[in-house]
Amino acid sequence: MKQKNRTLLNTAALILMKQYKFDLDNVVLTGSLALDMYGLLPENREVHDVDVIVDVTDSEWGAIRLKSEIIDELPGLPPGQYNYLNYREQVYVTVGDIHINIFREKIPQNCTLIDSFTGIKINPINNIIRAKKKINRQKDADDITDIACNILKMK
């Protein structure tokens, strides 16, 4: 994992624990930062935010929404396309220069990799690919191609 990304993840974990009172057992890292954990992020690819899945109660989610920016559009998608994707339970948190996308979903049962520094579970590659296919921006299509190429290089 790139050192810059390690720092980003560690800082985001502290924000989630201290400001949002998350039990990190209920947090799953996903997106580009998770790909870096697997060694599948291209060298030239920058990670700009931290994507996490959380499993919280309705009241906890309500409290999170009060402190966060509600997302209704996503860069790289046509206007209105984002809500069509059913990512209605997502908020965007910014603390200083740390940006965290928080998705409210059930924790995937197949999370077997855990970050040894933060204790955060890492979303399996197949789940990340499925989400990227669903969103289907050019960036996501490029990521899927890079994942396939990197996996083939490992053989």
Side-chain angles (χ1 to χ4, degrees):
M1 174 176 226
K2 297 175 187 172
Q3 184 58 44
K4 178 180 176 184
N5 292 344
R6 165 53 58 201
T7 302
L8 179 62
L9 177 58
N10 291 350
T11 306
L14 286 172
I15 291 167
L16 292 171
M17 283 188 321
K18 295 196 182 287
Q19 292 188 13
Y20 286 84
K21 308 297 186 217
F22 282 127
D23 175 355
L24 294 183
D25 288 341
N26 296 325
V27 176
V28 174
L29 181 67
T30 194
S32 300
L33 198 52
L35 291 178
D36 194 19
M37 295 291 291
Y38 286 110
L40 295 173
L41 191 70
E43 272 303 311
N44 61 347
R45 176 72 188 283
E46 290 288 323
V47 175
H48 301 289
D49 57 19
V50 178
D51 298 316
V52 296
I53 297 168
V54 298
D55 190 0
V56 295
T57 66
D58 288 342
S59 62
E60 289 169 322
W61 187 247
I64 292 164
R65 287 176 57 93
L66 288 174
K67 296 195 267 187
S68 309
E69 178 183 347
I70 307 304
I71 299 292
D72 60 3
E73 295 296 335
L74 192 65
L77 285 178
Q81 179 71 20
Y82 190 66
N83 281 333
Y84 172 75
L85 296 172
N86 293 321
Y87 278 125
R88 288 186 176 83
E89 294 205 285
Q90 179 193 3
V91 295
Y92 191 69
V93 173
T94 300
V95 177
D97 60 350
I98 305 296
H99 308 286
I100 308 170
N101 286 312
I102 303 174
F103 298 90
R104 183 184 183 203
E105 299 177 15
K106 289 288 180 200
I107 299 295
Q109 295 300 309
N110 55 348
C111 292
T112 56
L113 183 63
I114 298 175
D115 178 48
S116 60
F117 290 100
T118 63
I120 293 176
K121 296 176 184 84
I122 313 301
N123 207 6
I125 296 167
N126 60 323
N127 293 356
I128 297 169
I129 291 171
R130 192 175 304 116
K132 287 185 170 292
K133 282 173 60 177
K134 183 177 179 181
I135 296 172
N136 198 29
R137 297 171 293 180
Q138 184 60 51
K139 172 183 112 149
D140 300 305
D142 293 344
D143 283 347
I144 293 168
T145 300
D146 289 337
I147 291 167
C149 289
N150 283 326
I151 289 173
L152 290 172
K153 286 179 194 173
M154 290 178 187
K155 290 189 173 199

